[in-house]
Amino acid sequence: MRTATLGPLGEVSRLTLGGGGIGQIWGENTKDEALATLTAAIDGGITVLDAAPMYRNCEAFIGEVFGGRLPAGVKVTTKHQLGSPPASEVASRLEQSLNDSLAAMKLDRVDLFFLHSNIHLDCFSYAHGDAHKDGFSTRWSLYAGEVAPAMARLKAQGRIGAWGITGIGVPTAVLQAIDHAPSPDVVQAIANLMDSPGALRRYAEPARPREVAAAAKARGLGVMGIRAVQAGALTSGVDRPLSANNPDNTDFTRAAPFRALCASWGEDPAVVAHRYALGMPNIDTVVLGVKNRAELAQCLAAEAAGPLEPGQLAAIDGLGLAEG
């Protein structure tokens, strides 16, 4: 397993085990298989587990597998979907979420604590779901005035090793957060060959994920790449039912030329998509959405195979699938 430096967390594996599949929110999976996949990930050289309360059973499974004693060198993240509550409640909500996550995972601290919400400028209106934005997005004045200072306090107290933002929200606000002081230590950014956040995108402006990753690296922050296969759109088949107008389903249809190209190479599109993401500039570690050992083995093989050849990259980029 290759390694990279993830900001202040230091050396980490190029692959991170994401909690969505393990937590049983991506497709069908049994508890036994989820537990076995957690163990297999560590055995395969993965040193970062990316958890969150929203990933259903992920944190409890981490607690059950490791019993509060993580293997040497293994790092754990968690998150909180804060939204935009009253300013007086921000710090207590972050702390309570952290307490709950630590209890579930049987840990005394986490290495990295993310604001899981989108971030938006105070006068911003979302193209989709604007009436409910206080539930899924944190307004800028609240982020700068309450969230960042609260995260800095938790870090100073030693309850978290570092803090970060899930940089999938409005790019203008994410880029502003990267430049703001105190800045996050790590940013999660979209990293796939379509540059697509899929169903995560609620705003009208371009997603600009490569710009987000580059800005974070320029500030010395760590960058975790997410959605390497765009929620299944870049695989041979989506593993869950989707409505016809779901953006992930739309991306799957749009990615048909990519699947055809992979077929001409005799390659699995999921493997190629992961190799593409691993080769993207400014990405320190790629978060996997796997739910079982078979999918994990496929991703471990993709990492072991190394970057795609220049001709393959040119052929993929030549398909014109990346969002403008």
Side-chain angles (χ1 to χ4, degrees):
M1 176 72 66
R2 296 169 180 83
T3 61
T5 300
L6 184 64
L9 273 71
E11 187 176 24
V12 301
S13 54
R14 289 300 319 279
L15 296 178
T16 288
L17 184 66
I22 297 304
Q24 300 175 307
I25 65 171
W26 292 109
E28 294 293 328
N29 193 22
T30 66
K31 176 183 177 179
D32 286 347
E33 184 59 31
L35 299 179
T37 304
L38 272 167
T39 301
I42 303 304
D43 292 343
I46 289 177
T47 63
V48 184
L49 305 176
D50 187 46
M54 289 182 68
Y55 301 158
R56 197 179 297 169
N57 299 313
C58 173
E59 294 185 332
F61 288 170
I62 289 174
E64 184 169 341
V65 169
F66 302 109
R69 294 183 294 276
L70 296 173
V74 172
K75 298 174 173 63
V76 173
T77 85
T78 192
K79 308 179 181 73
H80 179 54
Q81 180 76 15
L82 178 70
S84 292
S88 61
E89 297 180 11
V90 168
S92 61
R93 289 194 185 197
L94 286 168
E95 187 167 358
Q96 186 59 56
S97 178
L98 177 61
N99 288 343
D100 292 345
S101 292
L102 291 173
M105 294 189 286
K106 303 179 182 179
L107 300 173
D108 295 325
R109 69 186 292 278
V110 292
D111 298 280
L112 185 53
F113 188 29
F114 282 101
L115 174 68
H116 211 173
S117 310
N118 281 214
I119 305 171
H120 68 270
L121 302 184
D122 284 26
C123 296
F124 183 82
S125 294
Y126 281 93
H128 306 288
D130 189 66
H132 308 289
K133 64 185 175 187
D134 283 355
F136 65 81
S137 188
T138 301
R139 65 180 180 274
W140 175 259
S141 58
L142 200 61
Y143 170 81
E146 302 294 336
V147 175
M151 289 292 204
R153 286 194 297 272
L154 288 171
K155 182 177 176 180
Q157 293 165 3
R159 304 202 64 210
I160 63 176
W163 67 279
I165 59 173
T166 305
I168 60 168
V170 186
T172 301
V174 171
L175 290 165
Q176 188 165 307
I178 289 170
D179 286 335
H180 179 72
S183 68
D185 297 300
V186 177
V187 175
Q188 289 198 334
I190 300 297
N192 61 58
L193 62 91
M194 302 178 84
D195 291 342
S196 174
L200 298 177
R201 180 178 175 180
R202 297 172 179 263
Y203 50 87
E205 66 181 75
R208 299 154 66 191
R210 301 192 195 212
E211 184 179 344
V212 167
K217 290 302 290 184
R219 281 292 302 268
L221 313 184
V223 180
M224 300 176 75
I226 63 174
R227 291 175 87 92
V229 294
Q230 207 320 71
L234 296 171
T235 69
S236 58
V238 180
D239 61 1
R240 64 203 182 282
L242 295 173
S243 64
N245 62 351
N246 185 294
D248 297 336
N249 193 46
T250 302
D251 276 353
F252 180 79
T253 300
R254 195 161 62 89
F258 169 69
R259 290 190 293 277
L261 179 64
C262 292
S264 73
W265 294 338
E267 297 278 2
D268 187 297
V271 172
V272 175
H274 278 102
R275 291 179 67 192
Y276 186 101
L278 283 162
M280 293 177 72
N282 304 310
I283 303 299
D284 300 317
T285 184
V286 171
V287 181
L288 306 179
V290 302
K291 60 184 177 292
N292 55 46
R293 285 171 289 180
E295 293 175 354
L296 173 65
Q298 190 178 54
C299 293
L300 292 173
E303 192 282 328
L308 294 169
E309 297 295 328
Q312 292 176 301
L313 287 172
I316 292 170
D317 292 339
L319 296 174
L321 296 176
E323 293 189 356

